[in-house]
Amino acid sequence: MYLKSPVIKSISTLGLFLILPTVLFAKETIKKEHLETQLQESVEQIEVVGTKPLYYYRQQMAKTELDFYDAFNDLVEDPKFKVKCKNIPREGAGRITQRACYPQYFLARKSKLTEIAMRARVALPSDDDVAMQVQQEKKASLAYAEKLIESNPELKQRLLDMYQAKQVYFSKQQGIKGE
């Protein structure tokens, strides 16, 4: 004979209410894990590759150039062979400047020619005009610099670093123009 007492009925109902949420929660958890697996399989992956801007390579080139000329000037005994770097305005570019490095003999000659031109009220000398007049000093300067670089391994390394930095910059610049 099957007895349906209110206490047994309450206990079985209570058990049902305790077990049912656990079963439903487990079922939801399994569904959620299955959905997450499906999403992970179907999610598109995007890879971002960062590059350094061209300005970074230009700065590296300028830094190695200044390092070389500073070391060079420290070793030079004749003041006319020392090199001075300065920012000069680009022709027809307004306020935009570019760095240029000139030996002292070049700057002295340009200054003298500029003074003469201003007194005579004629056109100021260009860099090409000055370069033509200092060809002998340039030959002597290059010979002196070559000896100095060959006799000093640190200076030679700085020259190589400067050359490599310029090559990297120009190759990156060409890569940007080619895109």
Side-chain angles (χ1 to χ4, degrees), residues 98-157:
Q98 66 185 31
R99 191 184 52 267
C101 298
Y102 298 104
Q104 283 302 123
Y105 66 84
F106 182 93
L107 295 173
R109 182 67 59 93
K110 186 168 185 174
S111 176
K112 185 177 179 181
L113 292 174
T114 300
E115 184 180 324
I116 292 168
M118 290 181 77
R119 284 186 185 158
R121 294 189 177 149
V122 295
L124 297 177
S126 68
D127 286 350
D128 293 336
D129 296 335
V130 178
M132 282 192 324
Q133 292 194 12
V134 293
Q135 288 179 4
Q136 294 295 357
E137 289 100 334
K138 184 176 182 178
K139 285 180 186 176
S141 173
L142 290 175
Y144 180 78
E146 189 176 336
K147 272 195 233 176
L148 199 59
I149 290 167
E150 285 301 320
S151 66
N152 189 313
E154 183 182 331
L155 187 60
K156 189 174 190 176
Q157 184 58 49

Side-chain angles (χ1 to χ4, degrees), residues 17-132:
F17 282 122
L18 289 176
I19 294 173
L20 188 61
T22 306
V23 170
L24 290 175
F25 178 73
K27 201 173 185 182
E28 283 297 314
T29 304
I30 291 170
K31 277 184 181 178
K32 197 182 237 184
E33 287 174 358
H34 181 68
L35 280 173
E36 285 177 3
T37 305
Q38 283 180 337
L39 281 174
Q40 286 176 352
E41 290 173 358
S42 66
V43 170
E44 180 181 350
Q45 291 185 357
I46 299 173
E47 187 175 324
V48 178
V49 178
T51 60
K52 294 176 180 153
L54 186 60
Y55 182 72
Y56 168 80
Y57 296 105
R58 188 176 328 131
Q59 282 183 320
Q60 290 302 109
M61 180 181 69
K63 182 183 177 304
T64 58
E65 187 176 38
L66 291 176
D67 287 346
F68 170 75
Y69 286 126
D70 284 344
F72 179 79
N73 287 339
D74 289 344
L75 298 171
V76 170
E77 294 172 6
D78 191 345
K80 73 178 183 179
F81 293 143
K82 289 192 179 208
V83 177
K84 182 177 180 182
C85 296
K86 60 183 179 178
N87 289 329
I88 58 170
R90 282 188 178 175
E91 201 170 306
R95 292 190 214 174
I96 299 174
T97 61
Q98 66 185 31
R99 191 184 52 267
C101 298
Y102 298 104
Q104 283 302 123
Y105 66 84
F106 182 93
L107 295 173
R109 182 67 59 93
K110 186 168 185 174
S111 176
K112 185 177 179 181
L113 292 174
T114 300
E115 184 180 324
I116 292 168
M118 290 181 77
R119 284 186 185 158
R121 294 189 177 149
V122 295
L124 297 177
S126 68
D127 286 350
D128 293 336
D129 296 335
V130 178
M132 282 192 324

